[in-house]
Amino acid sequence: MQVDGVEEELPDELEGDCSGDDDSECYSIIRSSSAASLPNLSSIEEPMILGVEGDREERPALVPSLFPLIPPTLYFSTANEKVELLPAEQRRLLKWKMSTVTPNIIKHTIDRSHFKVTKKSSDWLGCWGHHMKSPGFRAIGEHQKLNHFPGTFQIGRKDRLWRNLSKMQLRYGKQEFNFFPRTFILPQDIKPLRKAWEDGSSRQKWIVKPPASARGIGIQVIHKWSQLPRKRPLLVQKYLHKPYLIGGNKFDLRIYVYVTSYDPLRIYMFSDGLVRFASCKYSSSMKTLNNKFMHLTNYSVNKKNSEYQTNSDDKACQGHKWALKALWNYLGSKGINTTLIWDKIKDIVIKTIIASEPYVNNLLQMHVKTPYSCHELFGFDIMLDENLKPWILEVNISPSLHSNSALDVSIKGQMIRDLLNLAGFRIPPKEVVSSCSSASSSTSSLYGGNKERSKAELSADEKVKRAFYVTQRYADQDFLSSVLEILTPEDIRVLAESEDELSRRGEFERVFPSSSSSHYLRFFECPRYLNMLLDQWEQKYWNDRSKCISVLRVYCQRGIHVGTRDPAHMWSKCSYMPRTEVQRLGVLSPSGSRVVVSHSHRSASDDDCSDPESASVCSLPTSQSPGSSMTSSACLSPPPGLTQRPLPQQFSLF
C-alpha cells in the first residue's frame, strides 16, 4: 500500500496509543504536562505569530449552515487565529483518537479547536490514523470520522493502480486513458514484458518498483534483462526518459486530492502543492542509471545528498523543493499555459478516483454505517514530460504531512486547516455518544467492534425515483434534467450538504462534480443516482450559486429535508408527459426540459399512481446520453426493497 514517510507500516487496526501515567479519560493534545502523553512536538515549525495571544483574531467555534434546520460544523483555524471556547457541556464532547501516525500538523490544528485526546475507543469524534482492513470500519460510530475509505488500496498500491487504469484503458480506449506509462506486473506479466522488451530498442530504459513500498525504497532504473530483480512481486514500467527539466534537473509534483464522499462522488484539489527536484542534473546516459539522486525525485532519497539545497520560501524558485504556485509562476513567465497543464492534471485525478469507485462503494455498503464517517486525503505524484504532458506516477493513500521546513508548514498547514473545515465535523447529541460508549467496551480496539449497520433507509418513493433514473439505457440531456423537477427529501438533504461543503472549501477547488464534468459519468462502472442529481444541479446553477442556495433555503425552512408527505415532493405522486406529446402540444417544462413533470394529484382509481411505490413514466428518448454508459447488467438491478412489489408494466425495463 502506498504511503509516505513513517506512515509506511499499516496494521489491521487503529492503535490506541494514548499511553502514559495520566489516568484521566482524556488530556490536552499540546498543553499536557506529562512528557509521556504525546510524542515530542518540537520538531514542527509553526508559522511565526506576531504579538501576544490576545492579538490573534478570535473566530467562532461553529460554522453555521447556509440552511435552516441543519446543524453547524466545527471550525478549524490557522496558527494566526484562535477559536472561541464552546460551553463546557459541548466542549466535553471534543475528543480525538490519537494514532502512532497522527502528524504533528494535525495535532496542532485540532488543539487550536480545543480537542482533547481520548483513551476510549467509542467516544472520539475524529481520528487521523492507519488504514484498516475493511471489516474494521464496522466499529466506527455514526458520529465519528476516520481519514480513510475502505478499499482505496485499489489505487494506493502500485500494482492495483496500474491494473485498474489498464482496465479502464481497455474499456474506454487509449485516447481517454493515455496518462500512465506502459506497465507490467510480475510474475504474471513476464511473457508480455519479455516480448515488449525484445521489440524495443537497445537503448530502452525501464523502472522497477516494489508494488507496496514508499520513499524510493527498492526502486531502480535498468536497461538490461539480466538486471531485472528476481524478487517478486514487482512492477516494471517504461521509464519516462525525456522529462521536462528546470535548471537541468528533473522533478515531480505532489498534488493534494481530497475526497469527502464516494456516493455522491465529490473530489477536491488543493490549489497549492509541492515540486520535488532530483538533486543531480539529469543525463540520459546509460552510465548514470544507478544514480538515485539524478533519477528519483523522492525527498527521502535526495535529502541524503550533500548537494541537496533546502528552500523555506513558498514564493521562491530556489533549492530542490518549491511550492506548486511558484512553479506555475515560473512557467507562466516563460509564456507556458499553466491552466492547460492544471486541467490535464484534473482529468487524471478524476479518472483515477473513478477507477476506484466501484470497489470503495461496495465496501462502504458492506462495512460503514453512514457516509459521514469516511473521508480521505490522497497524494498524487505527477511528472511532466518534455512536452509538458502530465503522467501519473503513483497515488499515496497516506501522504506525508511531516513538516520540517517553513515551506512545508505554509502549504500543509493551510491545506489541513481547509481539509478539516471541509470535512464538516459535527458535535453529536450527548445521547448518541453515550449510546455508542455503552455498546462498546472502553478497552476494546476500534477494530474489535462488530455492530450491525444502521444506515437510514430511503422511503419507497425515493427508491422508485432512483431506480427509474439509473435504469434508463438511453437518456438525453432533456430527460436527465427532469431529475430536478421533483426534489425528494433526500435529494434536498444531499444538495444542501453539498452546497454547505462547497462554501467551506477554503483553497480547495471542487473538480467533481463541476459545470464541465458531465462527460465523466460514462466512466462509472455503475450509474449512481446522486451523481446524476448533482451533475444536473451543477449544470443548472453553476453560475448562480446564490439562486440555488435560496431555493434550498425555502425547502429546508419548511423541513422538507427531514421528511415530508407533501405530494409536491413525492416523485411517484406526479405525472409525466411523453416527449412526443410535449412536441405535439408545444409544451415546455419550467426548466425548458421536454420531459414535463406536473404536480397534479391522481385519485386512487387512476392507474397505478395512487401507490407511492409506483410511477407513470414517459416513453424514453432514443438518443444516447454522453453521460449514460450503462453496460453492466449487475448495475441495472433495482435497489433492495423494490423487488418486494412489482413496478408497473411501463416501468419494467429489466
Side-chain angles (χ1 to χ4, degrees), residues 98-117:
M98 205 56 65
S99 164
T100 54
V101 298
T102 304
N104 288 341
I105 207 158
I106 294 283
K107 295 172 185 175
H108 280 287
T109 305
I110 61 178
D111 179 68
R112 288 193 291 268
S113 292
H114 312 294
F115 273 85
K116 307 279 187 184
V117 169

Side-chain angles (χ1 to χ4, degrees), residues 299 307-313 318-321 404-405 407:
Y299 167 72
E307 297 182 7
Y308 183 83
Q309 299 176 16
T310 60
N311 175 25
S312 296
D313 188 344
Q318 63 188 22
H320 291 115
K321 186 188 286 187
N404 51 16
S405 72
L407 173 64

Side-chain angles (χ1 to χ4, degrees), residues 102-158:
T102 304
N104 288 341
I105 207 158
I106 294 283
K107 295 172 185 175
H108 280 287
T109 305
I110 61 178
D111 179 68
R112 288 193 291 268
S113 292
H114 312 294
F115 273 85
K116 307 279 187 184
V117 169
T118 179
K119 295 180 179 180
K120 291 187 175 182
S121 64
S122 56
D123 63 351
W124 52 273
L125 300 187
C127 178
W128 194 280
H130 294 291
H131 209 291
M132 302 184 295
K133 289 185 177 180
S134 298
F137 285 81
R138 293 177 185 167
I140 302 176
E142 295 184 19
H143 63 288
Q144 298 172 324
K145 272 187 182 290
L146 176 67
N147 63 307
H148 292 291
F149 290 93
T152 52
F153 66 88
Q154 290 289 349
I155 55 176
R157 273 185 62 107
K158 296 182 182 74

Side-chain angles (χ1 to χ4, degrees), residues 464 608-609 613-617 645-653:
V464 172
D608 296 300
C609 273
E613 293 192 34
S614 64
S616 176
V617 285
R645 300 183 63 179
L647 296 174
Q649 184 176 0
Q650 62 266 44
F651 188 15
S652 180
L653 300 176

Side-chain angles (χ1 to χ4, degrees), residues 68-237:
L69 306 181
I70 291 180
T73 57
L74 289 165
Y75 179 73
F76 296 87
S77 73
T78 53
N80 59 353
E81 299 172 328
K82 62 180 179 180
V83 180
E84 70 175 5
L85 285 172
L86 286 166
E89 186 175 352
Q90 289 182 313
R91 200 161 64 245
R92 279 193 287 268
L93 298 174
L94 299 183
K95 298 178 183 178
W96 197 271
K97 177 81 171 178
M98 205 56 65
S99 164
T100 54
V101 298
T102 304
N104 288 341
I105 207 158
I106 294 283
K107 295 172 185 175
H108 280 287
T109 305
I110 61 178
D111 179 68
R112 288 193 291 268
S113 292
H114 312 294
F115 273 85
K116 307 279 187 184
V117 169
T118 179
K119 295 180 179 180
K120 291 187 175 182
S121 64
S122 56
D123 63 351
W124 52 273
L125 300 187
C127 178
W128 194 280
H130 294 291
H131 209 291
M132 302 184 295
K133 289 185 177 180
S134 298
F137 285 81
R138 293 177 185 167
I140 302 176
E142 295 184 19
H143 63 288
Q144 298 172 324
K145 272 187 182 290
L146 176 67
N147 63 307
H148 292 291
F149 290 93
T152 52
F153 66 88
Q154 290 289 349
I155 55 176
R157 273 185 62 107
K158 296 182 182 74
D159 51 353
R160 300 295 180 92
L161 172 66
W162 306 119
R163 281 278 184 240
N164 287 313
L165 288 180
S166 297
K167 183 172 69 174
M168 298 291 275
Q169 186 184 75
L170 186 63
R171 182 178 300 171
Y172 299 107
K174 287 187 177 181
Q175 187 172 353
E176 292 286 356
F177 287 84
N178 65 342
F179 49 80
F180 56 97
R182 192 175 184 186
T183 305
F184 300 89
I185 301 169
L186 304 186
Q188 52 265 50
D189 293 341
I190 189 69
K191 288 184 178 179
L193 172 61
R194 185 75 195 224
K195 184 178 187 308
W197 198 294
E198 292 172 351
D199 292 343
S201 70
S202 59
R203 295 191 59 80
Q204 64 183 331
K205 301 180 184 73
W206 298 81
I207 188 165
V208 178
K209 308 175 183 180
S213 68
R215 296 176 291 168
I217 296 172
I219 297 179
Q220 55 184 300
V221 183
I222 63 174
H223 67 99
K224 295 179 180 178
W225 183 264
S226 60
Q227 296 171 325
L228 196 64
R230 296 183 179 277
K231 188 176 180 180
R232 305 290 189 269
L234 206 61
L235 198 82
V236 184
Q237 288 181 321

Side-chain angles (χ1 to χ4, degrees), residues 379-494:
F380 275 65
D381 291 345
I382 302 290
M383 181 167 287
L384 303 179
D385 68 15
E386 62 179 352
N387 299 314
L388 291 169
K389 174 186 174 178
W391 297 79
I392 186 171
L393 301 179
E394 59 191 47
V395 177
N396 298 272
I397 58 174
S398 290
S400 174
L401 295 177
H402 299 294
S403 303
N404 51 16
S405 72
L407 173 64
D408 286 325
V409 172
S410 173
I411 294 169
K412 297 176 184 179
Q414 181 70 43
M415 186 263 294
I416 286 300
R417 175 260 196 185
D418 289 347
L419 182 151
L420 293 176
N421 283 322
L422 251 179
F425 283 85
R426 297 192 296 263
I427 300 179
K430 187 175 181 180
E431 57 270 18
V432 171
V433 179
S434 299
S435 63
C436 185
S437 299
S438 63
S440 175
S441 166
S442 63
T443 58
S444 67
S445 71
L446 174 61
Y447 183 77
N450 191 22
K451 296 183 292 180
E452 293 297 318
R453 289 169 56 244
S454 57
K455 286 193 177 73
E457 291 296 325
L458 293 172
S459 69
D461 177 75
E462 289 171 322
K463 288 179 181 178
V464 172
K465 181 184 180 184
R466 292 187 178 200
F468 175 74
Y469 279 96
V470 301
T471 53
Q472 306 311 307
R473 297 176 185 275
Y474 300 96
D476 62 10
Q477 173 56 28
D478 288 329
F479 171 78
L480 292 172
S481 65
S482 69
V483 75
L484 300 179
E485 297 287 350
I486 305 296
L487 293 177
T488 68
E490 184 65 7
D491 290 346
I492 294 168
R493 189 198 66 77
V494 170

Side-chain angles (χ1 to χ4, degrees), residues 573-643:
K573 288 290 188 183
C574 303
S575 58
Y576 291 77
M577 185 181 295
R579 189 164 85 160
T580 53
E581 187 69 8
V582 172
Q583 292 172 335
R584 187 180 69 81
L585 297 176
V587 179
L588 282 177
S589 73
S591 64
S593 169
R594 285 171 289 179
V595 180
V596 176
V597 184
S598 71
H599 291 244
S600 60
H601 307 150
R602 300 186 177 191
S603 66
S605 61
D606 287 344
D607 300 323
D608 296 300
C609 273
S610 60
D611 184 347
E613 293 192 34
S614 64
S616 176
V617 285
C618 65
S619 59
L620 299 176
T622 57
S623 60
Q624 177 79 35
S625 167
S628 60
S629 176
M630 322 296 191
T631 57
S632 173
S633 59
C635 299
L636 298 177
S637 302
L642 288 180
T643 56

